[in-house]
Amino acid sequence: MEQKVIPIVAAAPTRERKRRHPKGRRVDPAALAEVRALLGDAPRRRDLLIEHLHRINDRYGQLGTRHLAALAQELGMAQAEVFEVASFYHHFDVVRDDDRSESGVAPLTVRVCTSLSCEIAGAPSLLARLQEILGPDVRVLEAPCMGRCEQAPVAMVGQNPVSCASPEAVRSAVENGQTRELPGSYTDYATYLAQGGYRLLRECVHGQRDVESVISALEDSGLRGLGGAGFPAGRKWRAVRAEPGPRLMAVNIDEGEPGTFKDRYYLERDPHRHLEGLLIAAWAIGAQTVYVYLRDEYPGCRAILEKELQRLRDDPPVSPLPAIELRRGAGAYICGEESAMIESIEGKRGMPRLRPPYVAQVGLFGRPTLEHNFETLYWVRDILERGSDWFASHGRRGRKGLRSFSVSGRVRKPGVHLAPAGITIQELIDEYCDGMQEGHEFYAYLPGGASGGILPASMNDIPLDFDTLQPYGCFIGSAAVMVLSKHDSAIGAARNLMRFFRDESCGQCTPCRVGTAKALELISKPLWDLALLRDLSAVMRDASICGLGQAAPNPVDCVIKYFPHELGLQEESR
């Protein structure tokens, strides 16, 4: 059989087009010039992406896609990388634009805190009223905890916080054009030196104290990490020091846990006590660079640190002084988790890392990193000067040390109260907070912020410290205590907290991303599906990557266990 031959016809030659522009949005020359002017001579490094985004957002009140494209070109990054970081953080207003015009947002944003302490202080009515009385040039948004729970309700006008906010006070702040909080009175560098500050650091650097004696003193004092995890501070220093150099250090002042404001309290009053502890820690582990991560809701603290760090550099108490880089958060609760904070410092989305390896082994930029909460370092000077026995001698019921309790809610005297470890909630209210507010009867309390669980007033004799609350399904965390009265309900508190967890989940792992949303849906109904909630709680605890998802079920589980009467159930045995 004759085979049919099919001729091959060559395609007509075509002229290959050379791509003159990269794929994606073309960079507007005007936008590129604006971005370059804003960045000035700042390094064009990948890890400074969030700092550069802040410059644009502060200047224009938004992040238009034309500026994002220009920034991507300036940093040599893909536009998708820049966009995914910009859209991850709450405080960046990303808006789309076309080649002719940019769809803008209101020139001024007012954020109203709707976390639990502010909610029970009247934030919902404040939010509704502001939306009525402020004009179209002001955008009013709900916001998570701003770290000023003792001043509830709180609003933020631009970068100016309004404490104990009323509609009239917020409107006055808007009309006066105050958009930046100014630092108040605090112990500055000169005053701190006059009071004997940095003498301890000099003793360490000049060989009058050795590293082993310093670390041993911290271990003997029983000082533990005061950001929530409670890992022994001296043991952490020793572990990082044992890793091969170069080593780095990171300080966490993100403080996003609802109910927590102790770091702000101390930073606004005595910043150099913390900085001296920081420099001693850097000396002990041999870190040449320290990164300080400060939450964006603390503009006054940022102004203090910028000013005092410059004074420290201009007149260093020791030489050489480690480099201290101040990094600005952008509104993400998840960045309080140590590995998520490290991702953010590196200019990425704040997503927790899988462990091992641990931060002490592979942390910032792949190097061994000592990560500490602000308050932990704040106590270093006192412990070393007064002795480990001084710190350990404080405590009740066999507990050791001092705890800075951030107390908010229905008490007469909210605020930061320095009290012995092991104190009970009843003693804290009676001895430090001047009792309950007029007309309010103690009903319930949260011993450790949003994720620390909820306990009834009848359980008012539990020592408040690390490891004492776990048998009850709670923990102390950063010692953020929120006090509820009989005007409140545990169910209402659980709904508020679960809404917060849903909004703040980074979305990386399914148990947390889906679990928080599903839990909120279930507890928003009049009748709770208890079997499904227990199942969901177990999955979130077992399979979530980080503490957000693992601890998010705590408020719901506590309502079921300790407040069954609110659900119309018989009380469970404890």
Side-chain angles (χ1 to χ4, degrees):
M1 183 176 179
E2 186 177 353
Q3 186 175 6
K4 186 174 181 181
V5 178
I6 301 176
I8 298 176
V9 180
T14 59
R15 189 174 184 178
E16 183 179 331
R17 294 182 180 176
K18 186 176 181 181
R19 184 179 297 278
R20 296 198 296 179
H21 301 283
K23 288 184 178 180
R25 172 180 289 271
R26 294 187 180 182
V27 175
D28 177 8
L32 183 60
E34 291 166 349
V35 167
R36 285 175 173 168
L38 280 175
L39 268 55
D41 58 0
R44 268 55 167 175
R45 300 201 314 261
R46 170 70 169 79
D47 63 290
L48 292 173
L49 172 59
I50 294 173
E51 298 296 307
H52 296 333
L53 289 171
H54 272 302
R55 293 189 185 206
I56 299 171
N57 200 67
D58 288 347
R59 169 63 179 82
Y60 295 100
Q62 61 188 33
L63 294 174
T65 47
R66 55 193 289 270
H67 285 133
L68 293 179
L71 181 61
Q73 177 170 308
E74 190 69 3
L75 298 182
M77 297 174 59
Q79 292 181 25
E81 288 183 279
V82 174
F83 186 87
E84 73 174 8
V85 172
S87 58
F88 180 85
Y89 295 92
H90 296 316
H91 292 182
F92 290 144
D93 296 308
V94 179
V95 297
R96 298 184 179 277
D97 52 69
D98 55 32
D99 292 333
R100 296 185 305 271
S101 64
E102 202 165 85
S103 56
V105 296
L108 181 63
T109 298
V110 173
R111 290 181 167 88
V112 177
C113 177
T114 54
S115 289
L116 183 58
S117 295
C118 284
E119 181 180 83
I120 65 177
S125 60
L126 172 65
L127 184 67
R129 186 78 182 103
L130 290 178
Q131 289 171 333
E132 293 175 5
I133 67 174
L134 298 180
D137 290 338
V138 179
R139 183 175 55 156
V140 180
L141 299 176
E142 294 184 34
C145 186
M146 296 176 180
R148 290 174 170 81
C149 314
E150 84 281 26
Q151 304 164 14
V154 177
M156 187 78 80
V157 179
Q159 292 189 5
N160 178 44
V162 181
S163 303
C164 304
S166 65
E168 294 72 26
V170 174
R171 180 164 57 185
S172 175
V174 169
E175 292 172 351
N176 291 336
Q178 296 174 317
T179 58
R180 171 86 182 228
E181 178 190 30
L182 298 176
S185 175
Y186 63 90
T187 303
D188 63 11
Y189 186 47
T191 305
Y192 187 73
L193 286 175
Q195 296 172 350
Y198 292 109
R199 181 175 55 205
L200 177 63
L201 174 65
R202 293 191 191 98
E203 292 175 0
C204 292
V205 173
H206 296 155
Q208 295 167 263
R209 293 177 184 255
D210 60 81
V211 173
E212 179 57 35
S213 67
V214 167
I215 294 179
S216 294
L218 290 184
E219 290 174 331
D220 294 342
S221 73
L223 178 67
R224 297 174 65 169
L226 298 172
F231 193 86
R235 193 193 307 174
K236 184 182 286 190
W237 290 24
R238 195 178 295 280
V240 176
R241 181 176 171 80
E243 294 292 325
R247 294 174 286 273
L248 300 173
M249 184 174 167
V251 181
N252 190 339
I253 321 181
D254 191 60
E255 197 170 49
E257 180 77 13
T260 309
F261 47 91
K262 60 184 178 61
D263 293 350
R264 173 187 58 80
Y265 175 87
Y266 288 124
L267 183 51
E268 288 176 340
R269 288 158 176 79
D270 198 356
H272 286 280
R273 188 169 298 270
H274 158 257
L275 290 173
E276 184 166 10
L278 176 157
L279 291 169
I280 291 171
W283 162 80
I285 68 160
Q288 298 303 309
T289 306
V290 181
Y291 295 83
V292 178
Y293 189 86
L294 177 67
R295 71 179 307 195
D296 197 34
E297 290 86 347
Y298 292 169
C301 292
R302 188 167 68 251
I304 290 173
L305 279 177
E306 288 170 348
K307 186 176 183 179
E308 297 307 312
L309 282 173
Q310 191 55 52
R311 288 176 171 174
L312 200 61
R313 297 183 188 107
D314 293 341
D315 181 23
V318 296
S319 182
L321 196 69
I324 303 176
E325 291 201 24
L326 180 61
R327 295 298 178 88
R328 181 177 170 187
Y333 167 68
I334 191 64
C335 289
E337 196 276 339
E338 62 176 6
S339 65
M341 178 193 70
I342 282 174
E343 290 286 297
S344 188
I345 292 173
E346 293 180 356
K348 305 170 187 174
R349 293 175 295 168
M351 290 192 166
R353 298 175 179 177
L354 291 169
R355 286 166 288 186
Y358 296 96
V359 167
Q361 302 165 312
V362 182
L364 264 170
F365 309 111
R367 302 309 311 163
T369 303
L370 175 66
E371 189 276 343
H372 261 315
N373 167 257
F374 169 90
E375 194 202 350
T376 311
L377 296 169
Y378 183 88
W379 290 112
V380 167
R381 178 187 166 187
D382 280 323
I383 289 172
L384 295 179
E385 287 186 342
R386 301 188 185 192
S388 55
D389 290 342
W390 166 81
F391 189 79
S393 67
H394 295 83
R396 298 182 183 179
R397 299 172 181 84
R399 312 306 297 180
K400 294 182 178 181
L402 293 164
R403 298 288 174 265
S404 300
F405 292 95
S406 304
V407 185
S408 62
R410 305 293 194 179
V411 294
R412 289 180 185 271
K413 187 181 175 184
V416 174
H417 298 292
L418 187 62
I423 194 172
T424 67
I425 182 62
Q426 195 64 60
E427 292 168 339
L428 189 63
I429 293 172
D430 294 342
E431 297 176 29
Y432 290 84
C433 301
D434 292 346
M436 299 292 291
Q437 292 176 0
E438 188 71 29
H440 289 270
E441 183 180 344
F442 183 29
Y443 176 65
Y445 66 106
L446 287 75
S451 53
I454 310 173
L455 292 171
S458 59
M459 299 175 67
N460 63 350
D461 57 351
I462 302 170
L464 299 179
D465 196 15
F466 296 112
D467 310 320
T468 60
L469 292 155
Q470 278 83 339
Y472 308 97
C474 300
F475 57 82
I476 193 171
S478 57
V481 177
M482 292 186 270
V483 180
L484 307 181
S485 77
K486 291 195 172 181
H487 288 73
D488 312 306
S489 73
I491 287 179
R495 286 170 177 161
N496 178 286
L497 301 173
M498 192 56 70
R499 190 180 309 116
F500 170 80
F501 290 132
R502 179 202 63 185
D503 295 343
E504 294 298 323
S505 172
C506 74
Q508 180 177 193
C509 67
T510 302
C512 179
R513 181 184 67 250
V514 177
T516 51
K518 183 63 176 177
L520 178 60
E521 177 188 335
L522 291 171
I523 67 174
S524 296
K525 297 178 180 179
L527 296 177
W528 289 14
D529 187 333
L530 301 185
L532 184 54
L533 282 168
R534 289 190 177 100
D535 228 9
L536 186 60
S537 173
V539 171
M540 292 175 68
R541 293 180 188 282
D542 293 343
S544 294
I545 288 174
C546 81
L548 193 158
Q550 294 163 9
N554 282 344
V556 176
D557 291 349
C558 285
V559 169
I560 296 171
K561 187 173 184 179
Y562 300 119
F563 302 89
H565 56 280
E566 291 194 19
L567 298 169
L569 304 172
Q570 293 293 321
E571 186 168 354
E572 291 189 357
S573 62
R574 296 173 189 164

